[in-house]
Amino acid sequence: MESKRVETVSARVDAAAAVSSTDSVEDELELSAVRHRPEGLEQLEAQTRFSRKELQILYRGFKNECPSGVVNEDTFKDIYAQFFPQGDASTYAHFLFNAFDTDHNGSVSFEDFVMGLSILLRGTVQEKLIWAFNLYDINKDGYITKEEMLDIMKAIYDMMGKCTYPVLKEETPRQHVEVFFQKMDKNKDGVVTIDEFIDCCQNDENIMRSMHLFENVL
Amino acid sequence: MAAGVAAWLPFARAAAIGWMPVASTPMPIPPQDKRKAQDGLIILNVSGTKFQTWRTTLERYPDTLLGSTERDFFFHEETNEYFFDRDPDIFRHILNFYRTGKLHYPRQECISAYDEELAFFGIIPEIIGDCCYEEYKDRRRENAERLQDDEEMDMSNDVTPVNLTFREYLWRAFENPHTSTLALVFYYVTGFFIAISVMANVVETVPCGTLPNRSKEVSCGDRYALAFFCLDTACVMIFTVEYLLRLIAAPSRCKFMKSVMSVIDVVAIMPYYIGLVMTDNDQVSGAFVTLRVFRVFRIFKFSRHSAGLRILGYTLKSCASELGFLLFSLTMAIIIFATVMFYAEKGSSATKFTSIPAAFWYTIVTMTTLGYGDMVPKTIVGKVFGSICSLSGVLVIALPVPVIVSNFSRIYHQSQRAEKRRAQRASKEAGQALVVKAATPPFESQHHHLLHCLEKTTNHEFVDEQTFQANCMEVSVVNKAGSRSSSLSSSPHGLGSCCSRRHKKKSSFSPPSTNNQELSTIQIRERPVSNSRASLNAKLDETVPLKCDESYITPSMVSLSAPVVTSADEDASTTTAYSQSNIVRVSAL
């Protein structure tokens, strides 16, 4: 009797799992129905370098835009696109999303969001450079290839849009990538490793200065 | 930009660190956040009901009372709160607007009270959200109509304004008979004469007994010919005078003459005059008699006196297609059944169904279930088909009629709603242009700084559509003549609101060491080819795709902050990032 009940229950669970995994629309509904609650304020305070008040302000803004507590990629792209009305920010937003979504589960929770921001705004220069390297390394294999860099560069130039001065041309991103590789790729092996990247950036005054640009954003 | 997204600006700025390693030029200085917004709670006491919200929430809309310093006038020192002596129920909606960015209209509130509150707090009604906008506009329109009706009633009791010309006065008297007693008298007199005329037309055909020296019965018209003629003359005179007066008073005579009512007037009085002209000509007296039929059209003159007739006429006009379908299907059925009956009755003797057209009459009478009985089938086949005809007649007529009725009601309501929505959309779009922008000033400057960082990363600048087109044009012009001009100045005007402030800020940022001369005159200059971008420009001359189609030359002012320096591989970084900026800005004025 009991085994039968267990069987039916397990069958029902399997059926539910099967249904939920196949239909992507249902996945979306599930995501929106999920009410994600972030970890406690103390824990986040310990894990990030934000003060309590700053975390409160961040969370209020986050929750206002995403009442369900998580951001999925489409919402992320929409939000980011609003800051760049003249161009197409969706590709770059995609890369950004992957950089923020550290556990690669397809959604950015408040913890992911705040951890990323903590590095970007309050981290050491080393941490920021590692974060930037992570952003450029699309497949996360530890090397930035020319193709990856080209993708990133095209995404950045896409954000500029069509109406620019001087007029954007097809090979501008490629040229920019060439310049970047000439600077960064010390041993000329066609890829940039993290050490080459960090070394080169630390030797460049402009880059060093710009790393401190957004420190008092919050 | 939505107020909520403004909260994500810190994130977007932080993420800009991703551009830094690939940037080719140094980044601009971030704007100083002078006004560190204290994020405290504000207590709003509205007639005793306490509302609380964050200070930053209210400051999202700096053009309203609560978002600006105007609220300081209502600050109550003793209780350390802001006191408003207004309606707390409506205030709830106003505060929700600050919180969510959407203004809702509560259905149970009075529209004028709501409007007053909105006006007090400095909020434009046009930003009411789509969910409540239609309701709001409907109520507002009803209210306006009510006010207008009240005004009109008052106006009708007032003394008529003296400054109307006689012609306008006359037209007004004709169109609104209740405005003056004279018009009212005229209105009733013409109505009376229309009735008299129609009744006379009817009565003069009634047989009135015999004349003493005749055996035949004569109609009243022939017996009292003179009386009827005098009556007719009097009526026609009145109608003619009325028509001429209307013609004189009409503001647009052509339009008046083409209108339906004037055509009816003409048709009503024409037979009399034609009858006067051609009196004793026997040949045309037949035609003359026919013309008298047109006198019955005088009855349509009543439609000026009755609004219901006008509405009926309009609805028939609007249901024309449905009526046409009914007629068509009936015609089809009539032809089919007439043919069948004709061939069915062909065999029988002394049949009335002499031809198919003759059988039409039978079919119509049977299908509409009249059944006069002047034509009846005698054969069995004929009777069978006759019964089928009458049954199907009921169906054929009964089916389209409800469709017509429902179509009529649908069309009627639809036209009402379409009118409403059309009027609403026009005014709504006009209002959206004035919509309050929910961006705080520090947000704007930070956003512009972010965009400027992107420009620096890619070494390209944002320009707007017009200047982009102008660039395309000028490149093709400059292809030949690459002259360089000394520093001129620009005042960008044609840029969108997002970037206009940015450029204004840029020009304020440029340090006094660079020689930026302000030119007040508008000059057409060939675009200078800058030094540092020589490599880029060399390619530009060859391969720039001309995306713009229109060929116009806009007068433009160009700014070039001297000295012209190379940008990319500049090592000697001067004091500010801006002085190195090799900004060539083209703007169309």
Side-chain angles (χ1 to χ4, degrees), chain B residues 236-262:
Chain B
V236 168
M237 257 174 30
I238 300 261
F239 296 155
T240 316
V241 162
E242 182 204 357
Y243 180 70
L244 286 176
L245 279 181
R246 276 185 203 266
L247 193 60
I248 293 174
S252 154
R253 297 215 172 103
C254 294
K255 198 167 79 127
F256 174 72
M257 288 185 72
K258 283 189 282 196
S259 75
V260 176
M261 290 310 304
S262 92

PDB file of all heavy atoms in Angstrom, chain B residues 236-262:
ATOM      1  N   VAL B 236     -46.627  77.790 -50.876  1.00  0.00           N
ATOM      2  CA  VAL B 236     -45.392  77.881 -51.658  1.00  0.00           C
ATOM      3  C   VAL B 236     -44.700  79.205 -51.439  1.00  0.00           C
ATOM      4  O   VAL B 236     -43.470  79.290 -51.398  1.00  0.00           O
ATOM      5  CB  VAL B 236     -45.698  77.646 -53.155  1.00  0.00           C
ATOM      6  CG1 VAL B 236     -44.510  78.030 -53.999  1.00  0.00           C
ATOM      7  CG2 VAL B 236     -46.044  76.199 -53.366  1.00  0.00           C
ATOM      8  N   MET B 237     -45.483  80.253 -51.271  1.00  0.00           N
ATOM      9  CA  MET B 237     -44.853  81.546 -50.998  1.00  0.00           C
ATOM     10  C   MET B 237     -44.067  81.503 -49.709  1.00  0.00           C
ATOM     11  O   MET B 237     -42.919  81.935 -49.645  1.00  0.00           O
ATOM     12  CB  MET B 237     -45.933  82.630 -50.914  1.00  0.00           C
ATOM     13  CG  MET B 237     -45.987  83.472 -52.165  1.00  0.00           C
ATOM     14  SD  MET B 237     -47.316  84.651 -52.231  1.00  0.00           S
ATOM     15  CE  MET B 237     -47.611  85.097 -50.568  1.00  0.00           C
ATOM     16  N   ILE B 238     -44.690  80.947 -48.685  1.00  0.00           N
ATOM     17  CA  ILE B 238     -43.993  80.843 -47.395  1.00  0.00           C
ATOM     18  C   ILE B 238     -42.716  80.026 -47.565  1.00  0.00           C
ATOM     19  O   ILE B 238     -41.636  80.408 -47.089  1.00  0.00           O
ATOM     20  CB  ILE B 238     -44.898  80.176 -46.343  1.00  0.00           C
ATOM     21  CG1 ILE B 238     -46.171  80.962 -46.124  1.00  0.00           C
ATOM     22  CG2 ILE B 238     -44.120  79.951 -45.076  1.00  0.00           C
ATOM     23  CD1 ILE B 238     -46.159  81.838 -44.945  1.00  0.00           C
ATOM     24  N   PHE B 239     -42.818  78.901 -48.249  1.00  0.00           N
ATOM     25  CA  PHE B 239     -41.639  78.048 -48.405  1.00  0.00           C
ATOM     26  C   PHE B 239     -40.556  78.746 -49.215  1.00  0.00           C
ATOM     27  O   PHE B 239     -39.361  78.643 -48.908  1.00  0.00           O
ATOM     28  CB  PHE B 239     -42.019  76.732 -49.096  1.00  0.00           C
ATOM     29  CG  PHE B 239     -42.970  75.892 -48.302  1.00  0.00           C
ATOM     30  CD1 PHE B 239     -43.800  74.989 -48.939  1.00  0.00           C
ATOM     31  CD2 PHE B 239     -43.059  76.003 -46.931  1.00  0.00           C
ATOM     32  CE1 PHE B 239     -44.681  74.204 -48.222  1.00  0.00           C
ATOM     33  CE2 PHE B 239     -43.943  75.231 -46.205  1.00  0.00           C
ATOM     34  CZ  PHE B 239     -44.761  74.330 -46.860  1.00  0.00           C
ATOM     35  N   THR B 240     -40.982  79.470 -50.244  1.00  0.00           N
ATOM     36  CA  THR B 240     -39.993  80.173 -51.059  1.00  0.00           C
ATOM     37  C   THR B 240     -39.270  81.219 -50.240  1.00  0.00           C
ATOM     38  O   THR B 240     -38.046  81.347 -50.294  1.00  0.00           O
ATOM     39  CB  THR B 240     -40.674  80.847 -52.260  1.00  0.00           C
ATOM     40  OG1 THR B 240     -41.600  79.945 -52.827  1.00  0.00           O
ATOM     41  CG2 THR B 240     -39.634  81.247 -53.274  1.00  0.00           C
ATOM     42  N   VAL B 241     -40.068  81.992 -49.472  1.00  0.00           N
ATOM     43  CA  VAL B 241     -39.449  83.027 -48.634  1.00  0.00           C
ATOM     44  C   VAL B 241     -38.466  82.392 -47.661  1.00  0.00           C
ATOM     45  O   VAL B 241     -37.334  82.852 -47.483  1.00  0.00           O
ATOM     46  CB  VAL B 241     -40.558  83.817 -47.892  1.00  0.00           C
ATOM     47  CG1 VAL B 241     -39.975  84.565 -46.724  1.00  0.00           C
ATOM     48  CG2 VAL B 241     -41.263  84.756 -48.845  1.00  0.00           C
ATOM     49  N   GLU B 242     -38.891  81.286 -47.057  1.00  0.00           N
ATOM     50  CA  GLU B 242     -38.004  80.612 -46.085  1.00  0.00           C
ATOM     51  C   GLU B 242     -36.725  80.165 -46.767  1.00  0.00           C
ATOM     52  O   GLU B 242     -35.617  80.355 -46.244  1.00  0.00           O
ATOM     53  CB  GLU B 242     -38.746  79.414 -45.494  1.00  0.00           C
ATOM     54  CG  GLU B 242     -37.935  78.676 -44.453  1.00  0.00           C
ATOM     55  CD  GLU B 242     -38.391  77.236 -44.301  1.00  0.00           C
ATOM     56  OE1 GLU B 242     -39.378  76.840 -44.960  1.00  0.00           O
ATOM     57  OE2 GLU B 242     -37.742  76.507 -43.535  1.00  0.00           O
ATOM     58  N   TYR B 243     -36.862  79.575 -47.957  1.00  0.00           N
ATOM     59  CA  TYR B 243     -35.673  79.076 -48.633  1.00  0.00           C
ATOM     60  C   TYR B 243     -34.728  80.206 -48.986  1.00  0.00           C
ATOM     61  O   TYR B 243     -33.513  80.117 -48.793  1.00  0.00           O
ATOM     62  CB  TYR B 243     -36.092  78.297 -49.895  1.00  0.00           C
ATOM     63  CG  TYR B 243     -34.935  77.734 -50.654  1.00  0.00           C
ATOM     64  CD1 TYR B 243     -34.189  76.677 -50.147  1.00  0.00           C
ATOM     65  CD2 TYR B 243     -34.555  78.261 -51.892  1.00  0.00           C
ATOM     66  CE1 TYR B 243     -33.117  76.171 -50.838  1.00  0.00           C
ATOM     67  CE2 TYR B 243     -33.488  77.762 -52.578  1.00  0.00           C
ATOM     68  CZ  TYR B 243     -32.770  76.718 -52.056  1.00  0.00           C
ATOM     69  OH  TYR B 243     -31.694  76.209 -52.725  1.00  0.00           O
ATOM     70  N   LEU B 244     -35.323  81.306 -49.485  1.00  0.00           N
ATOM     71  CA  LEU B 244     -34.456  82.417 -49.868  1.00  0.00           C
ATOM     72  C   LEU B 244     -33.755  83.004 -48.641  1.00  0.00           C
ATOM     73  O   LEU B 244     -32.563  83.321 -48.693  1.00  0.00           O
ATOM     74  CB  LEU B 244     -35.277  83.486 -50.583  1.00  0.00           C
ATOM     75  CG  LEU B 244     -35.682  83.091 -52.013  1.00  0.00           C
ATOM     76  CD1 LEU B 244     -36.570  84.160 -52.615  1.00  0.00           C
ATOM     77  CD2 LEU B 244     -34.454  82.875 -52.878  1.00  0.00           C
ATOM     78  N   LEU B 245     -34.497  83.114 -47.553  1.00  0.00           N
ATOM     79  CA  LEU B 245     -33.873  83.649 -46.343  1.00  0.00           C
ATOM     80  C   LEU B 245     -32.738  82.757 -45.873  1.00  0.00           C
ATOM     81  O   LEU B 245     -31.662  83.224 -45.485  1.00  0.00           O
ATOM     82  CB  LEU B 245     -34.910  83.778 -45.229  1.00  0.00           C
ATOM     83  CG  LEU B 245     -35.799  85.012 -45.286  1.00  0.00           C
ATOM     84  CD1 LEU B 245     -36.761  85.019 -44.120  1.00  0.00           C
ATOM     85  CD2 LEU B 245     -34.953  86.271 -45.267  1.00  0.00           C
ATOM     86  N   ARG B 246     -32.966  81.446 -45.901  1.00  0.00           N
ATOM     87  CA  ARG B 246     -31.895  80.527 -45.499  1.00  0.00           C
ATOM     88  C   ARG B 246     -30.700  80.667 -46.416  1.00  0.00           C
ATOM     89  O   ARG B 246     -29.549  80.635 -45.965  1.00  0.00           O
ATOM     90  CB  ARG B 246     -32.392  79.083 -45.530  1.00  0.00           C
ATOM     91  CG  ARG B 246     -33.104  78.670 -44.279  1.00  0.00           C
ATOM     92  CD  ARG B 246     -33.464  77.195 -44.339  1.00  0.00           C
ATOM     93  NE  ARG B 246     -34.582  76.921 -43.453  1.00  0.00           N
ATOM     94  CZ  ARG B 246     -34.457  76.500 -42.201  1.00  0.00           C
ATOM     95  NH1 ARG B 246     -33.279  76.272 -41.702  1.00  0.00           N
ATOM     96  NH2 ARG B 246     -35.522  76.303 -41.447  1.00  0.00           N
ATOM     97  N   LEU B 247     -30.999  80.829 -47.706  1.00  0.00           N
ATOM     98  CA  LEU B 247     -29.897  80.962 -48.654  1.00  0.00           C
ATOM     99  C   LEU B 247     -29.077  82.193 -48.361  1.00  0.00           C
ATOM    100  O   LEU B 247     -27.844  82.175 -48.424  1.00  0.00           O
ATOM    101  CB  LEU B 247     -30.465  81.014 -50.081  1.00  0.00           C
ATOM    102  CG  LEU B 247     -29.449  80.831 -51.199  1.00  0.00           C
ATOM    103  CD1 LEU B 247     -28.781  79.475 -51.064  1.00  0.00           C
ATOM    104  CD2 LEU B 247     -30.140  80.945 -52.542  1.00  0.00           C
ATOM    105  N   ILE B 248     -29.753  83.273 -48.038  1.00  0.00           N
ATOM    106  CA  ILE B 248     -29.035  84.514 -47.731  1.00  0.00           C
ATOM    107  C   ILE B 248     -28.212  84.339 -46.461  1.00  0.00           C
ATOM    108  O   ILE B 248     -27.066  84.758 -46.381  1.00  0.00           O
ATOM    109  CB  ILE B 248     -30.039  85.680 -47.562  1.00  0.00           C
ATOM    110  CG1 ILE B 248     -30.706  85.990 -48.898  1.00  0.00           C
ATOM    111  CG2 ILE B 248     -29.331  86.915 -47.023  1.00  0.00           C
ATOM    112  CD1 ILE B 248     -31.794  87.009 -48.766  1.00  0.00           C
ATOM    113  N   ALA B 249     -28.827  83.721 -45.453  1.00  0.00           N
ATOM    114  CA  ALA B 249     -28.174  83.683 -44.142  1.00  0.00           C
ATOM    115  C   ALA B 249     -27.071  82.646 -44.050  1.00  0.00           C
ATOM    116  O   ALA B 249     -26.258  82.686 -43.139  1.00  0.00           O
ATOM    117  CB  ALA B 249     -29.222  83.402 -43.066  1.00  0.00           C
ATOM    118  N   ALA B 250     -27.054  81.711 -45.027  1.00  0.00           N
ATOM    119  CA  ALA B 250     -26.099  80.612 -44.875  1.00  0.00           C
ATOM    120  C   ALA B 250     -24.673  81.115 -44.921  1.00  0.00           C
ATOM    121  O   ALA B 250     -24.344  81.916 -45.794  1.00  0.00           O
ATOM    122  CB  ALA B 250     -26.324  79.590 -45.980  1.00  0.00           C
ATOM    123  N   PRO B 251     -23.827  80.642 -44.010  1.00  0.00           N
ATOM    124  CA  PRO B 251     -22.428  81.090 -44.036  1.00  0.00           C
ATOM    125  C   PRO B 251     -21.706  80.608 -45.288  1.00  0.00           C
ATOM    126  O   PRO B 251     -20.855  81.294 -45.816  1.00  0.00           O
ATOM    127  CB  PRO B 251     -21.812  80.476 -42.776  1.00  0.00           C
ATOM    128  CG  PRO B 251     -22.808  79.559 -42.225  1.00  0.00           C
ATOM    129  CD  PRO B 251     -24.115  79.785 -42.863  1.00  0.00           C
ATOM    130  N   SER B 252     -22.045  79.421 -45.736  1.00  0.00           N
ATOM    131  CA  SER B 252     -21.408  78.945 -46.963  1.00  0.00           C
ATOM    132  C   SER B 252     -22.499  78.525 -47.913  1.00  0.00           C
ATOM    133  O   SER B 252     -23.105  77.469 -47.752  1.00  0.00           O
ATOM    134  CB  SER B 252     -20.485  77.762 -46.645  1.00  0.00           C
ATOM    135  OG  SER B 252     -20.345  76.935 -47.771  1.00  0.00           O
ATOM    136  N   ARG B 253     -22.734  79.330 -48.918  1.00  0.00           N
ATOM    137  CA  ARG B 253     -23.911  79.102 -49.755  1.00  0.00           C
ATOM    138  C   ARG B 253     -23.792  77.832 -50.573  1.00  0.00           C
ATOM    139  O   ARG B 253     -24.760  77.118 -50.768  1.00  0.00           O
ATOM    140  CB  ARG B 253     -24.119  80.303 -50.682  1.00  0.00           C
ATOM    141  CG  ARG B 253     -24.403  81.558 -49.902  1.00  0.00           C
ATOM    142  CD  ARG B 253     -25.362  82.486 -50.591  1.00  0.00           C
ATOM    143  NE  ARG B 253     -25.708  83.560 -49.659  1.00  0.00           N
ATOM    144  CZ  ARG B 253     -25.207  84.780 -49.724  1.00  0.00           C
ATOM    145  NH1 ARG B 253     -24.355  85.084 -50.686  1.00  0.00           N
ATOM    146  NH2 ARG B 253     -25.536  85.688 -48.833  1.00  0.00           N
ATOM    147  N   CYS B 254     -22.586  77.548 -51.061  1.00  0.00           N
ATOM    148  CA  CYS B 254     -22.429  76.327 -51.856  1.00  0.00           C
ATOM    149  C   CYS B 254     -22.749  75.111 -51.019  1.00  0.00           C
ATOM    150  O   CYS B 254     -23.463  74.199 -51.451  1.00  0.00           O
ATOM    151  CB  CYS B 254     -20.993  76.230 -52.380  1.00  0.00           C
ATOM    152  SG  CYS B 254     -20.589  77.500 -53.533  1.00  0.00           S
ATOM    153  N   LYS B 255     -22.202  75.142 -49.801  1.00  0.00           N
ATOM    154  CA  LYS B 255     -22.438  73.971 -48.932  1.00  0.00           C
ATOM    155  C   LYS B 255     -23.926  73.855 -48.620  1.00  0.00           C
ATOM    156  O   LYS B 255     -24.476  72.761 -48.575  1.00  0.00           O
ATOM    157  CB  LYS B 255     -21.626  74.136 -47.645  1.00  0.00           C
ATOM    158  CG  LYS B 255     -21.437  72.835 -46.894  1.00  0.00           C
ATOM    159  CD  LYS B 255     -20.393  72.962 -45.821  1.00  0.00           C
ATOM    160  CE  LYS B 255     -21.010  73.657 -44.631  1.00  0.00           C
ATOM    161  NZ  LYS B 255     -20.884  72.980 -43.370  1.00  0.00           N
ATOM    162  N   PHE B 256     -24.549  74.996 -48.420  1.00  0.00           N
ATOM    163  CA  PHE B 256     -25.963  74.952 -48.099  1.00  0.00           C
ATOM    164  C   PHE B 256     -26.754  74.385 -49.263  1.00  0.00           C
ATOM    165  O   PHE B 256     -27.659  73.575 -49.079  1.00  0.00           O
ATOM    166  CB  PHE B 256     -26.455  76.353 -47.737  1.00  0.00           C
ATOM    167  CG  PHE B 256     -27.935  76.420 -47.540  1.00  0.00           C
ATOM    168  CD1 PHE B 256     -28.534  75.856 -46.437  1.00  0.00           C
ATOM    169  CD2 PHE B 256     -28.749  77.026 -48.488  1.00  0.00           C
ATOM    170  CE1 PHE B 256     -29.898  75.907 -46.261  1.00  0.00           C
ATOM    171  CE2 PHE B 256     -30.119  77.082 -48.317  1.00  0.00           C
ATOM    172  CZ  PHE B 256     -30.699  76.525 -47.205  1.00  0.00           C
ATOM    173  N   MET B 257     -26.402  74.818 -50.493  1.00  0.00           N
ATOM    174  CA  MET B 257     -27.205  74.373 -51.618  1.00  0.00           C
ATOM    175  C   MET B 257     -27.028  72.896 -51.887  1.00  0.00           C
ATOM    176  O   MET B 257     -27.885  72.267 -52.481  1.00  0.00           O
ATOM    177  CB  MET B 257     -26.830  75.179 -52.870  1.00  0.00           C
ATOM    178  CG  MET B 257     -27.321  76.596 -52.783  1.00  0.00           C
ATOM    179  SD  MET B 257     -27.023  77.506 -54.265  1.00  0.00           S
ATOM    180  CE  MET B 257     -28.188  76.781 -55.365  1.00  0.00           C
ATOM    181  N   LYS B 258     -25.859  72.353 -51.445  1.00  0.00           N
ATOM    182  CA  LYS B 258     -25.664  70.927 -51.683  1.00  0.00           C
ATOM    183  C   LYS B 258     -26.257  70.068 -50.572  1.00  0.00           C
ATOM    184  O   LYS B 258     -26.302  68.862 -50.690  1.00  0.00           O
ATOM    185  CB  LYS B 258     -24.165  70.631 -51.768  1.00  0.00           C
ATOM    186  CG  LYS B 258     -23.564  71.039 -53.098  1.00  0.00           C
ATOM    187  CD  LYS B 258     -22.149  70.531 -53.227  1.00  0.00           C
ATOM    188  CE  LYS B 258     -21.208  71.401 -52.435  1.00  0.00           C
ATOM    189  NZ  LYS B 258     -19.809  71.204 -52.805  1.00  0.00           N
ATOM    190  N   SER B 259     -26.702  70.705 -49.491  1.00  0.00           N
ATOM    191  CA  SER B 259     -27.179  69.897 -48.374  1.00  0.00           C
ATOM    192  C   SER B 259     -28.535  69.286 -48.697  1.00  0.00           C
ATOM    193  O   SER B 259     -29.278  69.782 -49.549  1.00  0.00           O
ATOM    194  CB  SER B 259     -27.281  70.758 -47.112  1.00  0.00           C
ATOM    195  OG  SER B 259     -28.405  71.595 -47.210  1.00  0.00           O
ATOM    196  N   VAL B 260     -28.818  68.208 -47.997  1.00  0.00           N
ATOM    197  CA  VAL B 260     -30.026  67.425 -48.297  1.00  0.00           C
ATOM    198  C   VAL B 260     -31.280  68.253 -48.067  1.00  0.00           C
ATOM    199  O   VAL B 260     -32.220  68.245 -48.878  1.00  0.00           O
ATOM    200  CB  VAL B 260     -30.055  66.166 -47.407  1.00  0.00           C
ATOM    201  CG1 VAL B 260     -31.325  65.385 -47.619  1.00  0.00           C
ATOM    202  CG2 VAL B 260     -28.850  65.302 -47.693  1.00  0.00           C
ATOM    203  N   MET B 261     -31.305  69.001 -46.997  1.00  0.00           N
ATOM    204  CA  MET B 261     -32.528  69.732 -46.650  1.00  0.00           C
ATOM    205  C   MET B 261     -32.853  70.765 -47.702  1.00  0.00           C
ATOM    206  O   MET B 261     -34.022  70.968 -48.052  1.00  0.00           O
ATOM    207  CB  MET B 261     -32.345  70.425 -45.292  1.00  0.00           C
ATOM    208  CG  MET B 261     -32.288  69.485 -44.121  1.00  0.00           C
ATOM    209  SD  MET B 261     -33.621  68.288 -44.078  1.00  0.00           S
ATOM    210  CE  MET B 261     -35.040  69.318 -44.102  1.00  0.00           C
ATOM    211  N   SER B 262     -31.854  71.405 -48.255  1.00  0.00           N
ATOM    212  CA  SER B 262     -32.153  72.429 -49.247  1.00  0.00           C
ATOM    213  C   SER B 262     -32.654  71.785 -50.530  1.00  0.00           C
ATOM    214  O   SER B 262     -33.519  72.340 -51.228  1.00  0.00           O
ATOM    215  CB  SER B 262     -30.918  73.279 -49.514  1.00  0.00           C
ATOM    216  OG  SER B 262     -30.186  72.766 -50.581  1.00  0.00           O
TER     217      SER B 262
END
